[in-house]
Amino acid sequence: MKIVISSGHGLHVRGANNFIDEVNEARRVVSQVVKYLKELQVEVIEYHDNTSKTQRDNINRIVALHNSLERDLDVSVHLNAASKTDDPRGVEVLYVSESGRVIAEKVSDAIARASGLRNRGAKKRSDLGFLNNTKKTAIIIEVCFVDSKADVEIYHNKFNEICKAIAESLTGKETEGVTTVQAPKAEVKTEVVTKPSESKPASSGNSYIKKFQEWLKNEYKYQIALDGIFGPKTKKIALMALQTELNRQFNAGLIVDGIWGPRTKDAILTVFSGAKGNITRVIQGMLYCLGYDPKGFDGIFGNGTYFAVIAFQKNNKLTQDGVVGKNTFAKMFK
């Protein structure tokens, strides 16, 4: 059996967002389901759209990717939304063909049994581009509702069980021995590192901040004191590093002046879990400087960085989605 599984929407074409963010969580679900499918020795291809800028381009790109590959089944993972509530809503799986209905019923039932989510069942939809235009049997899994507090709590607590149920119900096989992961929770508190006082510098400063300063100096040849103290100079040079990377990677055409202005804000791209590179390093360094522990300064946006961003957003009254976009960057650098 060969499966192509993709996450709904894309990096630049966002989906529903409330207690949790649809795009971020759909990607996490897909990645974990793929691990289970590989344990079952199923040939599987994982896809996330990081390119499209419009909804039309997004669905066309995803459909084209699926149709370009040899496979038996097309799967798209989404999270649902209606209106904010504390009440449970549940899981449903969408289909358009009869063969899709059979699989949709199995997957919806399996997720509900494994997690305790309400089983809304298989639902026929003839108005969705993914179902209508993929050339093999296709389903869309709506894992839970992002705006249902009850659903999100179950999703957090039963993340691995849900992903395992999806893999097993797609294949009719049982998994064993797969390393599980903890699904991130929107209200998780991170360990906070000691933030050095700018008015009363410590003799040696903060080692994490010093490591960030050393990287800024070595990577960009900026003149900066390696004192482990976060002050205006370090913040300015960190922003200069971000502006430099936006120019290098995305031809933003910014003046590298370390000033947060309209042009820099307009050039900002969304950064989220799975990102790698120097922009992620700047984020991690700034989190350390501002008193949040991303659990590493490696340029990899993993769970430690995600939880630190959530804590930063919570304390600054921002949407707690673990995504670093214009508003989160603005709070860091203004």
Side-chain angles (χ1 to χ4, degrees), residues 312-325:
F312 175 79
Q313 291 170 328
K314 180 178 180 180
N315 290 337
N316 286 278
K317 297 180 171 54
L318 298 168
T319 301
Q320 298 168 47
D321 56 9
V323 174
V324 185

Side-chain angles (χ1 to χ4, degrees), residues 273-333:
S273 294
K276 298 179 181 179
N278 284 349
I279 292 179
T280 299
R281 280 187 184 272
V282 172
I283 292 169
Q284 291 171 328
M286 285 300 295
L287 287 167
Y288 276 127
C289 289
L290 295 167
Y292 301 86
D293 186 358
K295 306 295 184 185
F297 182 64
D298 55 6
I300 300 173
F301 200 130
N303 279 346
T305 302
Y306 176 90
F307 292 144
V309 170
I310 287 287
F312 175 79
Q313 291 170 328
K314 180 178 180 180
N315 290 337
N316 286 278
K317 297 180 171 54
L318 298 168
T319 301
Q320 298 168 47
D321 56 9
V323 174
V324 185
K326 296 182 190 297
N327 292 333
T328 302
F329 272 118
K331 281 291 184 182
M332 287 182 174
F333 286 109

Side-chain angles (χ1 to χ4, degrees), residues 229-245:
I229 306 300
F230 179 58
K233 181 71 171 179
T234 298
K235 182 163 75 169
K236 180 176 182 177
I237 288 180
L239 181 51
M240 289 171 65
L242 176 62
Q243 291 169 329
T244 298
E245 291 301 330

Side-chain angles (χ1 to χ4, degrees), residues 19 22 24 28 46 50 59 76 91 100 102 122 142 166 180 194 199 211 213 260 262 272 300 306 317 319:
F19 294 111
E22 178 184 9
N24 296 348
R28 292 176 183 275
E46 173 181 359
N50 295 326
I59 188 61
S76 180
V91 55
V102 173
E142 298 277 7
I166 292 171
T180 61
T194 301
S199 59
K211 185 175 182 180
Q213 292 169 330
W260 180 267
F272 59 91
I300 300 173
Y306 176 90
K317 297 180 171 54
T319 301

Side-chain angles (χ1 to χ4, degrees), residues 69-225:
L69 299 168
E70 182 181 348
R71 80 279 185 212
D72 302 300
L73 178 64
D74 291 312
V75 180
S76 180
V77 175
H78 289 248
L79 281 77
N80 224 330
S83 59
K84 192 172 183 179
T85 181
D86 290 342
D87 297 331
R89 286 215 173 96
V91 55
E92 61 189 33
V93 182
L94 313 180
Y95 70 94
V96 70
S97 66
E98 177 61 21
S99 58
R101 180 191 65 79
V102 173
I103 297 172
E105 288 179 348
K106 291 179 180 179
V107 174
S108 187
D109 182 66
I111 293 173
R113 288 177 179 272
S115 66
L117 285 164
R118 176 186 170 197
N119 185 9
R120 298 166 64 92
K123 295 185 181 297
K124 185 172 183 177
R125 292 286 299 271
S126 57
D127 59 333
L128 300 176
F130 180 83
L131 296 177
N132 289 335
N133 297 315
T134 45
K135 297 177 181 179
K136 296 291 184 179
T137 298
I139 61 171
I140 297 175
I141 303 172
E142 298 277 7
V143 178
C144 68
F145 280 72
V146 301
D147 49 12
S148 163
K149 187 174 182 179
D151 277 18
V152 170
E153 183 175 353
I154 292 172
Y155 168 78
H156 285 150
N157 292 333
K158 297 291 185 179
F159 177 80
N160 290 299
E161 288 85 349
I162 289 169
C163 296
K164 182 177 179 182
I166 292 171
E168 292 182 344
S169 57
L170 289 175
T171 62
K173 301 178 181 180
E174 292 187 3
T175 62
E176 55 182 57
V178 176
T179 301
T180 61
V181 299
Q182 179 66 36
K185 302 184 181 181
E187 296 298 323
V188 170
K189 295 181 179 179
T190 64
E191 177 186 351
V192 179
V193 301
T194 301
K195 181 178 175 181
S197 167
E198 294 176 25
S199 59
K200 297 180 181 179
S203 59
S204 59
N206 182 285
S207 61
Y208 295 106
I209 296 173
K210 185 175 180 180
K211 185 175 182 180
F212 182 39
Q213 292 169 330
E214 290 173 343
W215 177 76
L216 290 169
K217 182 175 182 178
N218 294 332
E219 182 71 20
Y220 302 100
K221 311 306 178 187
Y222 296 140
Q223 294 303 311
I224 181 173

